[in-house]
Amino acid sequence: MPGRTLPTLPVADVQMKNTSKACYVTIGTRVFDVTTFLDDHPGGGDLILEYGGKDVTEIMGDEVSHGHSEAAYEMLDEYHIGFVADSTVIDTVTKSNRPHHIVPFPPTADGEQELERDGNITQEDKVVYATTGMSCAEDLSRDTDVQDDYKKHKFLDLDRPLIPQMWTAGFSKEFYLEQVHRPRHYKGGASAPLFGNFLEPLTKTAWWVVPLIWIPTVTYFAYLASKELSILSLAGHLLFGLFFWTIAEYGLHRSIFHADDYLPDNRVGITLHFLLHGVHHYLPMDRYRLVLPPTLLVILATPFYHLAHLVFSHQWECAVAVFCGGIYGYIWYDMTHYFLHHRNLPPLWRGLKKYHLQHHFADYNNGFGVSNRFWDIVFGTELAPPKVMKVK
């Protein structure tokens, strides 16, 4: 999972784990403890024990004798316990001018390229998505070399305030959209400077601010509405507002946050796009710029407030209940969004986590549902399953 810190294990220790009491296998530099899976393996545990302590890249990728589906690789991820540095890795580190890009594991993208050149990891089956430059969710949490990134792409220097750069750089729309959708990760997940002045604190919102402010607020207004509405009527209007939020969530994400084709080719439009949603795709693992600041929510929610009162003009309490249902939906959305990026989740939510992170590392033109994928299915924007990567 993104953000995990796993140990590097000695080669000899891994090779010794080849019995039913302790069985490890490797794929490239990754080590998997499959001991508890031996009895559940469809082909029997003996087939795994044949490769105990060894690399299983070739046998798992052999479609003729023992092919494995994408689901098998996803299941294997649950048993990932660490990394192994064999002699080729050690040689690569010794020769490298930037060994910190290779170890501690996992290596950066540049470090992987050095390992490839030394023949340690076969990458011929590895998918690198052209629009993002990434292969998997783990890539989203690998620190960006700020100097190398700026030297290579000539986009933004992550060590300097980003908004002044956006305003003065004169980026074309085409160049901006290409770069802003290539995710970066700033120094362990800290927040890169946005304004670099007194406005900086206003750009950061901790996740707990959302329930702290909005749950009491909407609960109070729902209580006011309950004085004039029956329990069934109140519940019905709240549920209607909640349902309407799911459409609004999809529509905002697709038509406003990703209105790339309609973005004006000037610094005003580009900078606004960056502030509204571009910065999230540029730095998707920034934990303080994941949920909406309260002031921005008030601005975005105002039209929906007036719409509710227009449609339900016959009774103030009905309009308020519908609007409160929508805000409850927003709270659920923002909490879901944060936890998809920054928490290990129960099995029920793991599929949704993979789905949303795929929107970031593989295909930002689809997968607009965050708290659910229902409207993606309805409108034909559901993400296709990631391509199988035999070696990650």
Side-chain angles (χ1 to χ4, degrees), residues 102-146:
I102 302 173
V103 291
F105 287 115
T108 66
D110 289 341
E112 286 184 347
Q113 290 177 5
E114 287 196 58
L115 288 170
E116 285 181 55
R117 287 195 293 270
D118 273 26
N120 181 71
I121 302 176
T122 303
Q123 297 286 348
E124 61 184 8
D125 293 311
K126 183 172 182 176
V127 177
V128 176
Y129 295 94
T131 54
T132 66
M134 294 192 164
S135 299
C136 58
E138 284 78 3
D139 287 346
L140 296 170
S141 295
R142 294 180 180 172
D143 285 355
T144 297
D145 186 313
V146 174

Side-chain angles (χ1 to χ4, degrees), residues 29-76:
T29 59
R30 301 201 302 161
V31 181
F32 305 89
D33 182 353
V34 294
T35 310
T36 58
F37 181 64
L38 293 174
D39 293 336
D40 297 327
H41 185 241
D46 290 342
L47 287 177
I48 298 180
L49 287 173
E50 286 184 39
Y51 294 88
K54 301 176 183 177
D55 192 290
V56 296
T57 302
E58 185 174 350
I59 187 62
M60 288 192 70
D62 188 341
E63 300 293 340
V64 176
S65 65
H66 203 60
H68 288 78
S69 67
E70 177 189 344
Y73 288 95
E74 290 181 356
M75 184 181 298
L76 191 60

Side-chain angles (χ1 to χ4, degrees), residues 216-226 234 305 316-317 320-321 324:
T217 302
V218 295
T219 300
Y220 172 71
F221 280 97
Y223 166 72
L224 293 181
S226 71
L234 177 66
Y305 176 83
W316 181 87
E317 289 78 11
V320 168
C324 287

Side-chain angles (χ1 to χ4, degrees), residues 14-26:
V14 174
Q15 292 175 341
M16 290 174 58
K17 305 295 186 181
N18 56 9
T19 70
S20 59
K21 294 183 179 179
C23 184
Y24 291 1
V25 296
T26 65

